[in-house]
Structure formats: structure tokens, C-alpha cells
Amino acid sequence: MVVSAAVTFASAPALAQEPRLDLLNGKPPPTGTGMLVTGSILTGVGAVNLLTSPLCKTSLVPSDTQGVCLGTSLVVGGLFAAVGVPLLIVGVSRHNNYVEWKRQHSALAALTELNVTPTPGGAALTWSASF
């Protein structure tokens, strides 16, 4: 079994105005779900790390490693929170754009409601719509 993964970083120019939400390229805007999930996890882990860092100064941790424990907890928690919060903000913005696009293009948005659902024998393609 071969498993591979790729990460691509790309920069995009900053726009002075709100980008138009249209279908000139035939695709809906991103939903922001990935950023919301990732940002929530990173922010949660960072917050827990920051909130539990005072435990490093208790008798639970040997006195000779308390300083290292506290510093590590604060740095790691701060980094996770510093990465997670912006992801949440961008994810909410993208999700709001997607919801607005979906409201404006309700007929076309119904076609984007295709999902893959796990079943006991494998998977099934489902489509959900509301009338």
C-alpha cells in the first residue's frame, strides 16, 4: 500500500474590494469547513495548554523541571492559539461567503449537496435537497 500527501503553499494578491461571488469559473466558493475544523482543534489544544500551564509550578512536577515545563507549555500553547485563531477567522469569513453564494444561487447550490456516506459494505453517493 502506498500513501502519499502533498502540501502546497500559494500566495494570492490582496484585493482592495470584496471579491464577487459568481460562477464565472463554474465553481462555488470554498466552504471554509476545513479551516474551521483545523482552527477549532488548534485553538482548543492551545487554550488547554495555556490554561493548564500553572500546573507546572505545583508539586506534580519535580522542582528542577518546573521552569522548563512552564516555558514549554506557554510557548506551545501560544503557538497553537496564534495559528488556530486566524484559521477560525478566515474559516468563518469563507463560510459566510459560501452561505451567501448558496442563498443567491439556490438552484445551482442544490447540485453541490452531493456527499459520500459510509455504508456497511463500502460507501454511497447521496444528494440532499430541501423544497
Side-chain angles (χ1 to χ4, degrees), residues 1-129:
M1 176 196 313
V2 176
V3 177
S4 64
V7 176
T8 304
F9 295 100
S11 63
L15 301 174
Q17 61 187 17
E18 186 70 27
R20 291 185 355 198
L21 299 175
D22 58 2
L23 287 178
L24 294 178
N25 60 1
K27 296 180 183 177
T31 62
T33 304
M35 287 186 159
L36 287 170
V37 170
T38 305
S40 297
I41 292 170
L42 291 176
T43 302
V45 170
V48 167
N49 221 347
L50 289 172
L51 292 173
T52 59
S53 63
L55 293 175
C56 291
K57 291 294 188 178
T58 64
S59 61
L60 297 172
V61 178
S63 60
D64 58 333
T65 60
Q66 287 182 353
V68 173
C69 174
L70 181 63
T72 304
S73 292
L74 292 176
V75 168
V76 170
L79 286 174
F80 274 54
V83 171
V85 170
L87 280 173
L88 278 174
I89 293 169
V90 173
V92 166
S93 174
R94 285 188 176 185
H95 186 70
N96 288 341
N97 287 342
Y98 178 74
V99 169
E100 179 64 23
W101 173 86
K102 202 170 173 180
R103 187 184 63 73
Q104 291 176 355
H105 302 89
S106 58
L108 190 58
L111 298 175
T112 65
E113 297 298 326
L114 292 173
N115 296 306
V116 177
T117 305
T119 61
L125 185 63
T126 61
W127 176 58
S128 61

